[in-house]
Amino acid sequence: MSPEGLITSEFDDAAIIDTEVDAARVVAVDADDPDELADLELVVLDLAGTTVVDDGLVEQAFLRAVDAAGLAVTDDEQRRARAFAHDTMGQPKIAVFRALADDEDQAEHANAVFESAYAELAADQGLRPVPGAEDLIRRLQALGVAVVLTTGFSRATQDTVLGALGWRDLADLTLSASDARRGRPYPDLPLTALLRTGASSVEGMVVVGDTASDIVSGLAAGAGLVVGVLTGAHDEETLTAAGADAVVASVADLAELLGLDELERADELDDEFDDLDELDFDDDLDAGDTDDRNAPDEDDEDDSEDEDDLGDEDGLGAASPLPAAPKAALRAVDQPGQTRQ
């Protein structure tokens, strides 16, 4: 990010963000000028490990698949397969199995076992969101920022996760690896999110994930800000080495990092100014109507002049003066019982 707080595509050195640190200092948000973040248009969030608590379900399902497909027989092979799975977290599972399998049939068999095993484990052990994730999504959307949930899972597995959490309609868009030409670490998922939501620039896009693959994908897409979280597969050293602009404890801390409090205050002020402008317009109309009602008719003025002449001629004295104009109506702002829209 630039010193002025604008999201840019030039990546600074990654930093581990202390969640107790004032976000205004971390991202250089000027509280007196909330428009500094006006270019924030899109936030792309990973699912498992980032917005959804994993609890080791992915690894358990992966080991079942490896065993069922015969990808790792000996203890050493299983150990290497587990390490490979950990290193490639965030990437499409079919791609991982293809790297381990002897042929496509074996890879597809392993992938099918993984999907069924994950669905079974999710049903037995349950899925739960990372605390604060849903609130963050709703706050972003209330500010007009599009939110897209992405995953290395297949669409079927992603639907299982979203259904279990009641999140099918939460985000503006959900994307699986099959919805983009290539999965992570390629940039296709973030760029597909940008295109489908109609965001105008990669500089206004933030990519967030818990794996090195998430980070590399966001960087390759040219995202204005790429953030790692410590609620999933990889630690801060791995995320930093991958090139993350910042690493936070949880996705919930993204609100502080992006300065959402400042943006929400600015949004409230805009609403209040809009209300005042609307009141000014209504008062102007009312004042105009009042002037029209009280403006003397030309015929009445002629009649009045005739009466004045007649009165003078008859010696009856000057005609009575016109009544005083009514006082201007007071603005109905913050009067008791009034609700501000």
Side-chain angles (χ1 to χ4, degrees):
M1 303 187 72
S2 70
E4 296 78 23
L6 291 171
I7 297 175
T8 70
S9 57
E10 297 179 357
F11 301 101
D12 303 324
D13 292 336
I16 305 301
I17 301 302
D18 181 352
T19 58
E20 298 301 320
V21 175
D22 183 6
R25 285 192 289 114
V26 174
V27 295
V29 175
D30 185 354
D32 295 329
D33 188 6
D35 288 338
E36 293 293 349
L37 280 177
D39 61 339
L40 177 61
E41 297 181 74
L42 169 64
V43 175
V44 180
L45 301 170
D46 174 52
L47 269 179
T50 300
T51 55
V52 181
V53 177
D54 176 43
D55 285 334
L57 299 189
V58 173
E59 183 174 347
Q60 293 178 53
F62 180 84
L63 293 177
R64 286 191 190 183
V66 165
D67 183 61
L71 298 180
V73 178
T74 67
D75 290 344
D76 185 55
E77 288 176 340
Q78 290 182 351
R79 186 164 46 252
R80 283 184 294 177
R82 184 183 291 108
F84 184 71
H86 182 268
D87 291 343
T88 57
M89 280 290 186
Q91 298 183 23
K93 292 299 173 283
I94 183 61
V96 176
F97 290 127
R98 282 172 178 155
L100 294 171
D102 295 328
D103 54 49
E104 182 66 18
D105 289 342
Q106 190 180 32
E108 290 183 0
H109 175 53
N111 192 61
V113 174
F114 171 83
E115 290 188 7
S116 62
Y118 186 86
E120 180 182 337
L121 289 166
D124 291 344
Q125 301 182 31
L127 294 173
R128 54 197 172 92
V130 169
E134 184 170 340
D135 180 64
L136 170 74
I137 292 171
R138 296 192 185 282
R139 288 180 69 184
L140 287 167
Q141 291 174 321
L143 290 167
V145 179
V147 178
V148 177
L149 295 173
T150 65
T151 183
F153 293 150
S154 68
R155 169 55 69 177
T157 302
Q158 183 184 49
D159 287 343
T160 297
V161 174
L162 296 174
L165 296 172
W167 281 10
R168 291 188 185 276
D169 299 318
L170 176 62
D172 295 87
L173 180 68
T174 61
L175 295 174
S176 66
S178 60
D179 294 315
R181 185 171 180 271
R182 300 167 298 181
R184 307 183 190 110
Y186 295 101
D188 299 31
L189 275 172
L191 292 178
T192 300
L194 181 140
L195 291 171
R196 293 198 184 179
T197 58
S200 62
S201 170
V202 293
E203 294 182 351
M205 176 171 64
V206 176
V207 175
V208 186
D210 65 293
T211 70
S213 294
D214 292 307
I215 304 304
V216 173
S217 176
L219 293 172
L225 184 67
V226 182
V227 182
V229 296
L230 299 176
T231 51
H234 293 163
D235 58 21
E236 68 179 49
E237 182 179 357
T238 302
L239 296 169
T240 302
D245 293 307
V247 177
V248 294
S250 164
V251 70
D253 300 310
L254 192 65
E256 186 177 9
L257 187 67
L258 296 178
L260 294 194
D261 287 345
E262 288 82 1
L263 290 175
E264 287 167 342
R265 283 195 290 270
D267 194 52
E268 290 174 0
L269 287 174
D270 286 341
D271 290 341
E272 291 182 5
F273 282 130
D274 289 342
D275 289 342
L276 290 174
D277 289 343
E278 184 175 332
L279 286 171
D280 286 341
F281 178 72
D282 290 342
D283 288 346
D284 290 342
L285 287 179
D286 293 341
D289 290 342
T290 302
D291 292 342
D292 290 341
R293 286 194 298 270
N294 290 280
D297 186 88
E298 292 181 358
D299 293 337
D300 292 340
E301 291 180 357
D302 294 341
D303 293 341
S304 177
E305 291 175 358
D306 293 341
E307 292 175 359
D308 289 344
D309 293 341
L310 180 60
D312 290 339
E313 291 173 1
D314 294 342
L316 298 177
S320 301
L322 292 174
K327 293 182 180 179
L330 295 176
R331 240 175 239 173
V333 179
D334 292 335
Q335 293 183 0
Q338 180 180 357
T339 301
R340 185 184 295 276
Q341 298 297 321

